[in-house]
Amino acid sequence: MTKKVVVTAMGAVSPIGSDLNTIWDNTKNGVSGISKITHMDTENIRTKICGVVKDTGQFELDKQIKRCDPFIQYAVWATEKCFKEFNISSKELNPSRSGVIIGSGIGGLSNIEYNHKRALESPKKISPFFLPCSLVNMASGIISMKYNLKGPSLSISTACATGIHAITLASQMIQTGQVDFVVAGGAEKGSDLLGIGGFSAMRALSARNDDPKGASRPWDKDRDGFVLSDGAAVLILESEEHAKNRNAKILAEVSGCGMSSDAYHMTQPDPTGSGAMIAMENAILDANIDATEIGYINAHATSTPIGDIVEPRAIQSHFGKHTQSLKVSSTKSVHGHLLGAAGAFESILTILSLNDQIAPPTINLNETDIDIDLNLVPNHAQSLNCEYAICNSFGFGGTNGSIIFKRA
């Protein structure tokens, strides 16, 4: 028998805050977290803006975590938020049936860059902790050690779809009875020379350097690229039975998950939107609901010229006439693009949207060039009246993921 999967805790660190109340207030009120880069020299880099993690001073670091790449630290902090703020004790969990699936699109880029500089001075200066403290799977490993979670400890790395895919895999493992409790999400720290410089060299990033808060503008006709952001987001997933047995508050249900591949291009989405449409279609089939029951979509829309056009085409292709009844917004306009953490972070925002029945705005949307009749929730939040919402994430390599959440 397939088990029902529920969300019982959420935690994040991000450019718009590191507690759920602040994060949600800034999201629904359209308060941007994007600013000029001050932590490194950008003289010879085209893009000079990004979103960095705020409020890190509230976290204590033990010696082991200090050695790790920041993306691992972010993942640990987001998990701590879940356990502390939702009163989860490791003692109430069965270690062998509790797992961790934390992914990253890039992994330990900061640590790689730092140790490369030291290696150029002398190979003897390379830290003995360099490799283990940079590995993508070490975020899951550290968390499993910290909370004595002896079930599967895995990592997903599917570019910007990482967070969605981590939650999907965790849900499937719970549904099939392999585990009862999973820490799932994504983490990223890409705001370094290689990250900003690399995406900037691709002309993928916005260069609206004199207007950081107006730089991320999904679907706006003047968009010129995405804004890179750092952060981590973690959701605690459990079987409904397990959650009720420990008297946990249920925040939402994971109703359906869908995945697909464009099989088209390394970085560009299929212009027809077929891959994105298949992912949403598969999620709706998995949820066993009618498409008309979806009331809100937290879109992947990153503020790129091509990508922002494709997703609305996919929505129109699948939802048909119901497209006009949907509310679709991109919260990346507020927090930027968290890459491998984006899907998990936006899943949290989707759940908060359902619980408060508020569609957060797409800020900086003044005039669109999208030729599809969609309510893109421009600049101001709107009310919702629905039980189900979709969160979309699409990544380089043509990998796609969609998750449907049901209101608790």
Side-chain angles (χ1 to χ4, degrees):
M1 180 178 177
T2 301
K3 296 189 176 185
K4 187 178 290 187
V5 181
V6 296
V7 181
T8 56
M10 305 185 294
V13 293
S14 79
I16 55 172
S18 295
D19 68 86
L20 292 181
N21 287 335
T22 301
I23 288 169
W24 183 229
D25 282 345
N26 285 332
T27 301
K28 67 185 179 182
N29 292 314
V31 180
S32 173
I34 309 305
S35 58
K36 289 193 174 183
I37 295 171
T38 59
H39 60 275
M40 68 177 192
D41 183 6
T42 60
E43 182 179 356
N44 296 314
I45 301 177
R46 178 174 177 266
T47 295
K48 306 177 189 302
I49 55 175
C50 73
V52 297
V53 171
K54 305 291 196 303
D55 307 325
T56 58
Q58 66 180 291
F59 300 102
E60 295 182 3
L61 290 174
D62 61 33
K63 190 174 182 180
Q64 184 185 43
I65 303 299
K66 283 182 179 180
R67 295 172 175 146
C68 291
D69 188 90
F71 92 91
I72 297 173
Q73 297 175 13
Y74 295 165
V76 172
W77 293 341
T79 305
E80 282 184 5
K81 288 281 185 179
C82 291
F83 275 74
K84 289 181 179 180
E85 295 180 8
F86 290 85
N87 299 314
I88 301 172
S89 170
S90 298
K91 295 179 181 179
E92 64 183 336
L93 305 176
N94 180 341
S96 65
R97 294 190 58 79
S98 303
V100 189
I101 306 177
I102 302 291
S104 181
I106 298 176
L109 196 62
S110 297
N111 219 16
I112 291 169
E113 183 177 312
Y114 173 74
N115 277 277
H116 177 253
K117 290 178 181 177
R118 291 174 66 87
L120 291 178
E121 297 172 16
S122 170
K124 293 182 180 180
K125 291 189 175 184
I126 299 174
S127 168
F129 303 101
F130 160 50
L131 289 175
C133 288
S134 304
L135 297 175
V136 171
N137 77 300
M138 198 52 66
S140 294
I142 293 289
I143 290 166
S144 69
M145 297 173 216
K146 183 177 177 66
Y147 295 101
N148 192 37
L149 308 177
K150 296 189 175 182
S153 173
L154 308 173
S155 288
I156 298 289
S157 186
T158 48
C160 304
T162 294
I164 290 285
H165 287 163
I167 298 169
T168 295
L169 180 56
S171 298
Q172 292 171 344
M173 294 178 71
I174 293 171
Q175 283 179 326
T176 55
Q178 298 177 60
V179 290
D180 301 317
F181 178 102
V182 184
V183 177
E188 205 76 83
K189 169 64 165 68
S191 66
D192 292 289
L193 181 61
L194 287 176
I196 297 288
F199 281 117
S200 187
M202 292 173 63
R203 302 280 170 159
L205 298 181
S206 171
R208 192 182 283 260
N209 298 316
D210 295 331
D211 181 22
K213 297 187 183 305
S216 185
R217 45 197 319 111
W219 299 307
D220 187 81
K221 70 178 182 64
D222 292 327
R223 65 190 181 279
D224 68 331
F226 74 85
V227 177
L228 188 150
S229 289
D230 301 328
V234 166
L235 292 82
I236 301 299
L237 306 184
E238 303 182 54
S239 68
E240 183 181 47
E241 179 185 14
H242 186 268
K244 287 182 176 179
N245 284 342
R246 67 178 195 88
N247 296 314
K249 180 181 179 181
I250 294 174
L251 306 178
E253 177 188 334
V254 181
S255 295
C257 302
M259 296 182 285
S260 71
S261 178
D262 285 358
Y264 177 77
H265 189 272
M266 285 178 64
T267 58
Q268 294 182 13
D270 183 337
T272 67
S274 65
M277 183 191 72
I278 293 169
M280 288 186 283
E281 183 179 52
N282 286 341
I284 290 169
L285 287 171
D286 188 42
N288 194 28
I289 61 174
D290 192 90
T292 57
E293 295 183 71
I294 303 294
Y296 172 64
I297 298 177
N298 188 303
H300 177 69
T302 63
S303 190
T304 57
I306 298 175
D308 283 13
I309 294 174
V310 170
E311 192 171 7
R313 287 176 183 167
I315 292 169
Q316 185 181 57
S317 295
H318 183 72
F319 288 94
K321 291 182 180 180
H322 184 56
T323 298
Q324 296 180 1
S325 302
L326 289 169
K327 291 177 182 177
V328 182
S329 67
S330 174
T331 56
K332 288 185 181 73
S333 59
V334 173
H335 54 71
H337 191 357
L338 276 69
L339 305 180
F345 189 65
E346 289 155 25
S347 288
I348 290 175
L349 298 181
T350 303
I351 291 169
L352 294 172
S353 297
L354 279 173
N355 290 347
D356 275 9
Q357 290 291 284
I358 293 174
T362 306
I363 66 169
N364 304 317
L365 179 52
N366 300 322
E367 183 181 351
T368 185
D369 60 356
I370 307 301
D371 59 358
I372 294 168
D373 186 15
L374 266 178
N375 181 351
L376 301 174
V377 197
N379 298 309
H380 300 285
Q382 298 178 14
S383 63
L384 287 173
N385 182 21
C386 63
E387 294 294 308
Y388 295 92
I390 289 180
C391 184
N392 284 334
S393 285
F394 314 129
F396 280 180
T399 184
N400 308 304
S402 297
I403 288 187
I404 296 174
F405 294 100
K406 182 182 180 182
R407 186 184 184 190

